[in-house]
Amino acid sequence: MEFDEAGALSGMLELMKKMNRTISIAPMMDYTDRHDRYFLRLLAPHVLLYTEMMTTGALLHGDYQRFLAFDASEHPVALQLGGSEPDKLAQCARMGEDFGYDEINLNVGCPSDRVKSGRFGACLMLEPTEVGDCVAAMKQVINIPVTVKCRIGVDHADSYEELTHFIQTVNQAGCHIFIIHARKAWLNGLSPKQNREIPPLQYETVHAIKRDFPDLTIVINGGIKLTSEIEEQLKHVDGVMIGREAYSNPYWLAEIEKRIFSFDTNETCQRETVIQKLIPYIVDQLKNNIKLSSITRHILGLYQGQKGARIWRRYLSENAHRQNASIEIINEALQHARNII
Ligand SMILES: Cc1cc2nc3c(=O)[nH]c(=O)nc-3n(C[C@H](O)[C@H](O)[C@H](O)COP(=O)(O)O)c2cc1C
């Protein structure tokens, strides 16, 4: 068989495009479920999407088929795992790879009580060797990348030396890609929400990690809300992960596509066009007994900053949860928004 150079090149380009980490959307519990990811993908063809955290317990003892299911259009999509037992994480990573996920990410940044009591999440930053063992166990059984999402420190273990020791140890176990939320976490005394707001952002610490570990892929996370901020961060690190702003103001992603990926979104990405593309998906989901409001709750922010924003949000919030709510609710909400714009 002749070597198909053009084919090989296009395959390589495809793969590079697929693993683009310039912009990713953060894992967010109860937010970035499969419906939200389907919607975000319509707005942003080039970003890397993350699932909500799934614990090893939930996957090994729960309805894993339902938890892991996703739509092919979501690629590239990473599965975030929560756990601290290498063998269980390895089993779940394997399940993720079998389901077709593009990356397995270990959560070492979440500070909630539930997570602490299960000895995973941010408290694992205090145990770099154990995190390394988890990474090594997962790498042994899968071929897709294993990445770690962490903080810059926890409690009083917040020196730069402690952070570099963590990165070095986990890197030696085989992780080359770190997503770093640029603030520390207080394990006692602050709620998860407060832990996303009160400890100050220290972007310089993450930039220093990239300077000191130039061969690693370093993605920065935390408090980034403007395209100009993304552009500034990309001078220092390999990628930017955005969370809350992408959820509350999803149309920002269309601007990111234009400015960061030079992807012309004018035609394909008008708000209404996106909803028209979402409608067949919603119709399908309704047939599977998914409630309309389980999907519409993710699209409430679509018109943020526009004249029709309030009526869009209000009409959907008041009507989509009604029993037997049908796709007509979306058409009516569109009609209302259209009349105001
Ligand atoms: C509602 C909510 C749920 C979250 N759930 C997770 C999670 O499951 N796993 C995780 O690593 N981080 C989680 N986070 C943290 C985000 O991934 C991100 O690190 C944080 O929001 C900071 O980024 P931002 O300022 O761009 O929102 C969550 C954040 C929010 C707001």
Side-chain angles (χ1 to χ4, degrees):
M1 200 169 75
E2 268 183 42
F3 177 65
D4 174 4
E5 202 174 335
L9 186 64
S10 88
M12 205 169 77
L13 287 175
E14 226 10 74
L15 188 69
M16 277 167 64
K17 206 166 83 188
K18 204 173 152 192
M19 291 326 295
N20 192 331
R21 295 173 186 283
T22 312
I23 307 292
S24 46
I25 307 299
M28 287 180 283
M29 207 63 131
D30 291 333
Y31 284 26
T32 51
D33 63 16
R34 57 176 301 190
H35 307 310
D36 184 47
R37 299 194 306 267
Y38 188 97
F39 166 61
L40 295 180
R41 178 58 77 216
L42 292 174
L43 287 158
H46 296 99
V47 303
L48 173 59
L49 298 171
Y50 281 75
T51 67
E52 317 160 81
M53 177 183 73
M54 301 195 200
T55 63
T56 51
L59 289 180
L60 295 175
H61 307 296
D63 183 357
Y64 71 93
Q65 301 266 7
R66 185 165 67 83
F67 298 145
L68 291 177
F70 66 93
D71 188 272
S73 69
E74 291 173 38
H75 284 296
V77 56
L79 168 65
Q80 188 187 58
L81 295 178
S84 60
E85 289 163 272
D87 54 337
K88 292 186 177 167
L89 281 166
Q91 278 183 61
C92 293
R94 185 72 171 271
M95 287 156 74
E97 185 177 61
D98 289 346
F99 264 73
Y101 283 93
D102 299 291
E103 167 186 321
I104 302 296
N105 175 263
L106 181 63
N107 181 343
V108 188
C110 188
S112 87
D113 279 346
R114 194 167 68 83
V115 165
K116 260 187 307 173
S117 60
R119 223 183 114 255
F120 54 85
C123 62
L124 283 179
M125 287 211 70
L126 300 168
E127 301 182 63
T129 309
E130 281 71 9
V131 175
D133 292 344
C134 294
V135 165
M138 290 190 277
K139 281 200 67 107
Q140 211 160 40
V141 297
I142 59 173
N143 293 309
I144 53 176
V146 173
T147 67
V148 165
K149 179 169 181 277
C150 63
R151 296 266 182 154
I152 55 173
V154 283
D155 295 341
H156 294 291
D158 61 352
S159 69
Y160 188 67
E161 288 64 36
E162 278 157 307
L163 179 60
T164 53
H165 174 63
F166 176 82
I167 299 280
Q168 216 158 26
T169 310
V170 179
N171 171 231
Q172 275 160 9
C175 176
H176 303 283
I177 301 165
F178 291 84
I179 300 118
I180 308 179
H181 185 172
R183 45 162 73 88
K184 66 182 281 186
W186 284 105
L187 296 179
N188 291 305
L190 293 189
S191 70
K193 187 166 184 293
Q194 288 171 320
N195 258 315
R196 292 192 287 265
E197 286 160 6
I198 292 175
L201 285 160
Q202 296 182 46
Y203 294 138
E204 176 47 40
T205 304
V206 183
H207 302 168
I209 291 289
K210 178 62 196 176
R211 280 198 301 276
D212 289 342
F213 298 89
D215 295 336
L216 299 185
T217 297
I218 302 294
V219 175
I220 198 164
N221 168 243
I224 294 158
K225 294 182 176 170
L226 298 172
T227 313
S228 55
E229 290 170 345
I230 293 178
E231 287 166 335
E232 179 55 32
Q233 291 296 342
L234 289 175
K235 294 177 188 163
H236 304 281
V237 290
D238 302 292
V240 174
M241 173 179 270
I242 47 184
R244 288 164 288 186
E245 189 64 14
Y247 189 83
S248 60
N249 179 20
Y251 200 71
W252 178 35
L253 294 180
E255 182 193 317
I256 290 177
E257 284 286 334
K258 208 181 293 180
R259 292 248 311 258
I260 306 292
F261 296 108
S262 305
F263 183 69
D264 186 4
T265 50
N266 282 344
E267 285 291 306
T268 54
C269 211
Q270 294 302 312
R271 288 177 176 80
E272 204 170 319
T273 320
V274 168
I275 295 302
Q276 296 299 356
K277 288 188 195 164
L278 186 64
I279 284 176
Y281 172 81
I282 301 180
V283 170
D284 254 14
Q285 296 299 316
L286 293 177
K287 282 185 206 149
N288 295 333
N289 296 323
I290 300 294
K291 283 196 201 134
L292 183 64
S293 56
S294 309
I295 304 175
T296 53
R297 70 193 190 94
H298 300 305
I299 64 177
L300 298 179
L302 183 63
Y303 283 86
Q304 183 161 311
Q306 301 290 298
K307 281 194 182 141
R310 189 185 295 187
I311 183 81
W312 169 259
R313 176 180 285 277
R314 204 178 65 199
Y315 196 83
L316 288 177
S317 311
E318 285 177 358
N319 295 291
H321 68 276
R322 292 182 197 279
Q323 222 183 359
N324 299 326
S326 78
I327 198 71
E328 276 318 302
I329 302 290
I330 309 259
N331 287 321
E332 286 157 15
L334 271 181
Q335 189 68 43
H336 285 299
R338 205 184 286 138
N339 287 344
I340 287 185
I341 287 163

mmCIF file of all heavy atoms in Angstrom, residues 123 134 192 319 323 331:
data_model
loop_
_atom_site.group_PDB
_atom_site.id
_atom_site.type_symbol
_atom_site.label_atom_id
_atom_site.label_comp_id
_atom_site.label_asym_id
_atom_site.label_seq_id
_atom_site.Cartn_x
_atom_site.Cartn_y
_atom_site.Cartn_z
ATOM 1 N N CYS A 123 -7.388 18.295 49.198
ATOM 2 C CA CYS A 123 -6.545 17.814 50.302
ATOM 3 C C CYS A 123 -5.402 16.922 49.791
ATOM 4 O O CYS A 123 -4.382 16.754 50.451
ATOM 5 C CB CYS A 123 -7.380 17.098 51.355
ATOM 6 S SG CYS A 123 -8.211 15.636 50.744
ATOM 7 N N CYS A 134 -1.540 7.568 41.890
ATOM 8 C CA CYS A 134 -2.831 7.548 41.159
ATOM 9 C C CYS A 134 -2.574 7.768 39.666
ATOM 10 O O CYS A 134 -3.117 7.056 38.815
ATOM 11 C CB CYS A 134 -3.767 8.634 41.677
ATOM 12 S SG CYS A 134 -4.294 8.368 43.381
ATOM 13 N N PRO A 192 -17.010 25.809 49.616
ATOM 14 C CA PRO A 192 -16.448 25.713 48.263
ATOM 15 C C PRO A 192 -16.609 27.027 47.493
ATOM 16 O O PRO A 192 -15.706 27.463 46.788
ATOM 17 C CB PRO A 192 -17.268 24.594 47.615
ATOM 18 C CG PRO A 192 -17.728 23.749 48.744
ATOM 19 C CD PRO A 192 -17.916 24.687 49.902
ATOM 20 N N ASN A 319 -41.525 28.754 32.497
ATOM 21 C CA ASN A 319 -42.341 27.801 31.728
ATOM 22 C C ASN A 319 -41.711 26.434 31.467
ATOM 23 O O ASN A 319 -42.438 25.453 31.291
ATOM 24 C CB ASN A 319 -42.725 28.430 30.386
ATOM 25 C CG ASN A 319 -43.626 29.639 30.595
ATOM 26 O OD1 ASN A 319 -44.765 29.494 31.006
ATOM 27 N ND2 ASN A 319 -43.087 30.827 30.370
ATOM 28 N N GLN A 323 -45.062 20.660 33.828
ATOM 29 C CA GLN A 323 -45.235 19.274 33.407
ATOM 30 C C GLN A 323 -45.583 19.250 31.920
ATOM 31 O O GLN A 323 -46.363 20.090 31.449
ATOM 32 C CB GLN A 323 -46.349 18.613 34.226
ATOM 33 C CG GLN A 323 -45.939 17.231 34.623
ATOM 34 C CD GLN A 323 -47.059 16.541 35.383
ATOM 35 O OE1 GLN A 323 -48.110 17.090 35.626
ATOM 36 N NE2 GLN A 323 -46.794 15.302 35.739
ATOM 37 N N ASN A 331 -39.441 27.954 21.215
ATOM 38 C CA ASN A 331 -39.837 28.808 20.100
ATOM 39 C C ASN A 331 -40.514 30.085 20.614
ATOM 40 O O ASN A 331 -40.277 31.177 20.104
ATOM 41 C CB ASN A 331 -40.784 28.046 19.160
ATOM 42 C CG ASN A 331 -40.012 27.007 18.357
ATOM 43 O OD1 ASN A 331 -38.888 27.270 17.925
ATOM 44 N ND2 ASN A 331 -40.579 25.825 18.165
#
